[in-house]
Amino acid sequence: MKNRIKIDNPSKGRVLASHGRHYMVQPDRGDSLLQCFTHGKRNEITVGDRVSFLTISENQGVIVAIDTRRNLFRRSDRFKSKRFASNVDQLLIVLATEPYFSEDFLGRALIAAEAHQLELVILLNKADLLASLPLARERVAFYSALGYWVVEASITADADCARATLMPLLSQRATLLLGQSGMGKSTLVNLLVPNANTMTLEISSALNSGRHTTTFTRWYELTIGGALIDSPGFQEFGLYYLTEGQLERAFPEFRALLGSCGFYNCHHLNEPRCAILKALAQGHISLTRYALYTQLLNEISQPIKRRTR
């Protein structure tokens, strides 16, 4: 009875990619990927999830349970939420000397990493473009001063050096790559995961997605231990799911001052005796970072709406 579901013996695995309600699962036992689905309309499963599944044929299965997640990394606006991956250890934000990267995007990604308590590395790629390098360094130096780890690399011009720089930072960690289009993210994946294109085409074909191979998130196991999670490039990063408390604590320069305001429920906008506003006036908090805080506070204060069809 080849297609009989083994109800009494579920297997374990990890979701490597998804499209709609179809998922590619890497079983803990066995090398072959399994195309899985869920019953009904359940589609909250995401890349990185540890799942229990039942085998129904040689290359197909049905997911019956999701293990408890350590975290779930996502972005959201007023209408919808987009999940990236679960069970992430750190975030690698890919910037480049060219094209000009968005500091709003970078700032929001940093806030998301802080809110999820993830380790974080900022990669400045294309360091070989010497004409653009001084300005790019000046822009990221501010974030280095805030305590974030910044590394430089030239993935295309000096692949060996880039690999040697990055591999120790990725070992034994599940690392989510995040970056705008054009920053070199795909080149980085191909450098660190030599068979990435083959794996992506295999997954895309199995899921019958009919989509470009960079339009869905993929989990790649690394030979050094850990994993690299490649996400699609995008331009906007909404954080509507954050609470006000999560938001203010996600600014490292705010933390030592929280609790020192004149009011316990201070929003740090125009309240008297606000420790954040005092630090801003004294130049201890930058106007750019404070503007990001007020923008995000305004966004998360908006009512969430369902997208209408």
Side-chain angles (χ1 to χ4, degrees), residues 150-167:
V150 179
V151 297
E152 294 183 6
S154 301
I155 298 171
T156 300
D158 195 344
D160 290 340
C161 183
R163 187 186 296 106
T165 298
L166 293 170
M167 278 302 199

Side-chain angles (χ1 to χ4, degrees), residues 252-273:
E253 61 269 52
F254 285 17
R255 289 183 193 137
L257 302 172
L258 298 176
S260 300
C261 296
F263 297 90
Y264 76 93
N265 61 345
C266 183
H267 302 295
H268 319 304
L269 295 176
N270 48 28
E271 296 87 349
R273 303 193 306 281

Side-chain angles (χ1 to χ4, degrees), residues 156-191:
T156 300
D158 195 344
D160 290 340
C161 183
R163 187 186 296 106
T165 298
L166 293 170
M167 278 302 199
L169 306 180
L170 305 177
S171 177
Q172 306 303 320
R173 297 177 178 88
T175 303
L176 175 63
L177 289 181
L178 205 61
Q180 298 169 275
S181 299
M183 297 293 151
K185 206 154 53 65
S186 296
T187 306
L188 176 60
V189 171
N190 290 327
L191 173 68

Side-chain angles (χ1 to χ4, degrees), residues 216-283:
F216 58 85
T217 301
R218 297 166 310 290
W219 177 293
Y220 301 108
E221 295 287 342
L222 295 174
T223 57
I224 57 174
L228 195 64
I229 309 152
D230 186 22
S231 63
F234 55 91
Q235 303 301 321
E236 297 182 1
F237 199 123
L239 297 170
Y240 281 73
Y241 61 88
L242 293 181
T243 66
E244 186 172 339
Q246 289 174 319
L247 175 62
E248 65 180 7
R249 290 191 298 272
F251 284 80
E253 61 269 52
F254 285 17
R255 289 183 193 137
L257 302 172
L258 298 176
S260 300
C261 296
F263 297 90
Y264 76 93
N265 61 345
C266 183
H267 302 295
H268 319 304
L269 295 176
N270 48 28
E271 296 87 349
R273 303 193 306 281
C274 171
I276 302 298
L277 292 177
K278 181 179 179 181
L280 178 68
Q282 294 174 341

Side-chain angles (χ1 to χ4, degrees), residues 17-24 35-45 61-63 83 207 309:
S18 68
H19 175 59
R21 296 186 179 90
H22 295 267
Y23 308 91
M24 293 304 299
Q35 183 180 356
C36 293
F37 60 91
T38 59
H39 285 301
K41 296 182 178 181
R42 183 180 185 182
N43 67 344
E44 71 272 20
I45 300 170
V62 55
I63 295 173
R83 298 187 297 270
L207 293 177
R309 295 177 179 242

